[in-house]
Structure formats: structure tokens, C-alpha cells
Amino acid sequence: MLPATVFRRGLVGLALVAGGLGCADLKEILSLQQGLAREFQTSAVSINLNNSAYLTVTFANAPIADQPEAVQAAFARRVAEYVRDHYARYDQLQSIQVGFSSVKGVGITFTRTRVPYRFTP
């Protein structure tokens, strides 16, 4: 049986490694979000990464959401291509989804989100 101090050190080391990986993921996602904001000229971009494999990009209150479906589809493809070209862990993704949300209210907000576009790397 391992002494308690060795066991604790191992857990702390594991926590630090796991935390380091989380920080790297967070840094890459933040960088991607900032790049998307610059590229598409809006700060209302949110990114959700689920299980390091399913990435969803949502644009809040974006004028493009009121455009015809063909215009939205072309926009969504450009977003997915941007992710392909700028996200370091692109090869780990199983899907990229692009959607739009409408956020209204002060204090209490109401959000309506639709994510109609899905791309497979």
C-alpha cells in the first residue's frame, strides 16, 4: 500500500495535469471566439465545446438571422471554414454547429436559440 503522502502528491499532480489541459482548451476556445468576433464583426459570439468533439458557435442578435435561408447557410459555412482554418484541435471535432439566438430583456432575459446548420469535419 502506498503511503498517504505519496498518494496525495499523485492526486495533486493529476489535478494539475487535468487543470493544465482544461486551461489549454479554454485558451484555444477564447482565441477562436475572439477571432470569430473580429472576422464577423460582432462581439456577440458564444462557443460551446461538448466532450472536446462537438463545437457550437452561436451569434446573438445578429442581423444575419433575419436574412433568407440561403444567405444564412452561406454565412454558416464561412463560420465552419473559419473554425477549420483557425482552431488547433479541429481534427478532434466530430461536428461544428452554427446557430443564432435572440436575446431580449433587462434583468430577466429571454433567449430563443436555433442551431440549424451542422457540418462534419
Side-chain angles (χ1 to χ4, degrees):
M1 184 164 193
L2 291 173
T5 55
V6 172
F7 181 71
R8 276 190 226 122
R9 283 186 193 147
L11 285 178
V12 170
L14 181 61
L16 290 175
V17 169
L21 290 175
C23 289
D25 286 339
L26 184 58
K27 184 177 177 182
E28 289 174 7
I29 291 297
L30 182 59
S31 176
L32 178 62
Q33 187 274 337
Q34 291 171 341
L36 285 165
R38 278 190 305 275
E39 181 71 18
F40 295 98
Q41 300 172 354
T42 180
S43 61
V45 180
S46 65
I47 296 177
N48 181 20
L49 180 63
N50 188 2
N51 292 331
S52 297
Y54 304 95
L55 186 108
T56 302
V57 179
T58 308
F59 292 85
N61 297 333
I64 191 79
D66 297 326
Q67 296 296 314
E69 195 278 331
V71 174
Q72 290 180 26
F75 177 86
R77 177 164 293 285
R78 284 184 42 226
V79 171
E81 290 170 347
Y82 186 92
V83 171
R84 177 197 64 204
D85 296 342
H86 295 89
Y87 182 53
R89 296 178 190 252
Y90 174 80
D91 61 333
Q92 297 175 7
L93 295 178
Q94 291 190 21
S95 74
I96 301 165
Q97 298 183 111
V98 180
F100 309 98
S101 64
S102 172
V103 181
K104 295 179 181 175
V106 177
I108 296 175
T109 59
F110 298 93
T111 304
R112 181 176 161 260
T113 303
R114 61 184 183 84
V115 185
Y117 303 102
R118 182 174 183 266
F119 303 93
T120 303

